[in-house]
Amino acid sequence: MLNVQDGYSLVVNNTTPDPDVPWLTDHERAAWMTLIALLMSLPTAIDAQLKRDAGLNFFEYSILAALSRPPGRPVRMNVLALFAGGSASRLSHAVSRLERQGWVRREVHTSEVRCTEAMLTDKGFAALSAAAPDHVREARRLVFDAITPEQVEQLQQISRQLLEASSPEVSAALDRAIVDAAAADGGALDRAIVATAADSMCTDPEHSRTDPADQVRIDPADQVRIDSADQVRIDQ
């Protein structure tokens, strides 16, 4: 696999010219190298802080945060994977770990088509609430303290364009929050997640689950109801 960081000029200069290969310019290559270095180092730094201070990795924290935003409502596993940023397999393993901690519960629906939903428990909400302050401090230290307010806006715009290119589905879902002027209180993101969940019904065969190991039945009476005023607001 060709890595544009290593020996790039040598490869370009010793390759038969091909107009169909969009080789990067020196300026583009420098930007690419910087972006890749950031993508490799920033998640590692965030992960390290969460593991050190909260005993969670960033993916697990993202799951808890996503589940906290539609208060008292379960979220379908495929929707949760979208907002937590992981594959269905990775999500299943992570939710299993969170279940063993008593932080998340899953419920299987077997009406017309089987599907699985997850929801945050009181214990999970407490864990998220405890982890959030240090996580936000680290996010501010690593990102927002390092750039100007004007650059924050530029960062959002550039990130949005790259997200659209790499993951249109996630981009479309987040657009509902980003373009909403009410996003200042976190309500727009709540509505985006709830609206996305509403568009992804358990009766849709695309969202069925067939792995018996992932099925955990719970009594609906045990479902946690979280008052929206108590939600943890976290910018990710």
Side-chain angles (χ1 to χ4, degrees), residues 80-95:
L80 187 57
L82 176 69
F83 282 96
S87 66
S89 175
R90 185 185 182 195
L91 176 66
S92 180
H93 287 296
V95 169

Side-chain angles (χ1 to χ4, degrees), residues 54-56 60 64 94-105 121-125 127:
L56 286 165
E60 292 167 338
L64 297 180
V95 169
S96 293
R97 292 193 298 271
L98 295 173
E99 280 185 308
R100 288 193 292 270
Q101 296 286 340
W103 294 346
V104 171
R105 288 177 176 168
T121 66
D122 283 331
K123 187 176 179 181
F125 186 81

Side-chain angles (χ1 to χ4, degrees), residues 3-224:
N3 188 323
V4 299
Q5 287 96 313
D6 301 321
Y8 185 85
S9 299
L10 181 63
V11 171
V12 172
N13 294 333
N14 290 275
T15 300
T16 301
D18 185 344
D20 293 329
V21 178
W23 297 110
L24 303 183
T25 65
D26 289 345
H27 188 62
E28 290 171 333
R29 185 168 71 255
W32 173 258
M33 293 170 64
T34 303
L35 175 62
I36 293 304
L38 176 64
L39 292 177
M40 291 189 294
S41 63
L42 183 59
T44 300
I46 294 174
D47 211 51
Q49 178 274 315
L50 283 168
K51 288 178 179 177
R52 181 185 67 246
D53 297 335
L56 286 165
N57 62 42
F58 189 35
F59 186 59
E60 292 167 338
Y61 179 90
S62 299
I63 292 170
L64 297 180
L67 289 175
S68 77
R69 286 177 170 132
R73 295 187 57 176
V75 176
R76 280 169 282 282
M77 291 287 283
N78 66 306
V79 176
L80 187 57
L82 176 69
F83 282 96
S87 66
S89 175
R90 185 185 182 195
L91 176 66
S92 180
H93 287 296
V95 169
S96 293
R97 292 193 298 271
L98 295 173
E99 280 185 308
R100 288 193 292 270
Q101 296 286 340
W103 294 346
V104 171
R105 288 177 176 168
R106 277 184 287 191
E107 182 178 14
V108 177
H109 296 271
T110 57
S111 51
E112 296 180 8
V113 176
R114 179 166 51 200
C115 77
T116 303
E117 295 178 329
M119 69 181 308
L120 197 64
T121 66
D122 283 331
K123 187 176 179 181
F125 186 81
L128 177 64
S129 299
D134 286 337
H135 169 63
V136 172
R137 290 187 187 99
E138 186 72 348
R140 179 168 294 283
R141 183 185 73 84
L142 293 172
V143 178
F144 300 104
D145 287 348
I147 59 180
T148 66
E150 293 76 17
Q151 289 174 320
V152 171
E153 183 176 355
Q154 296 169 4
L155 174 64
Q156 189 275 324
Q157 292 173 347
I158 293 172
S159 299
R160 169 63 181 78
Q161 290 173 294
L162 297 179
L163 181 61
E164 172 63 27
S166 63
S167 184
E169 186 179 13
V170 174
S171 178
L174 291 181
D175 268 350
R176 302 178 186 182
I178 295 173
V179 301
D180 193 329
D185 66 353
L189 184 53
D190 293 350
R191 290 191 291 277
I193 293 179
V194 172
T196 302
D199 292 338
S200 177
M201 303 303 294
C202 277
T203 54
D204 188 337
E206 177 186 353
H207 307 140
S208 63
R209 294 194 56 82
T210 57
D211 184 359
D214 290 336
Q215 298 174 8
V216 179
R217 298 182 183 279
I218 63 172
D219 190 323
D222 292 333
Q223 292 182 344
V224 181

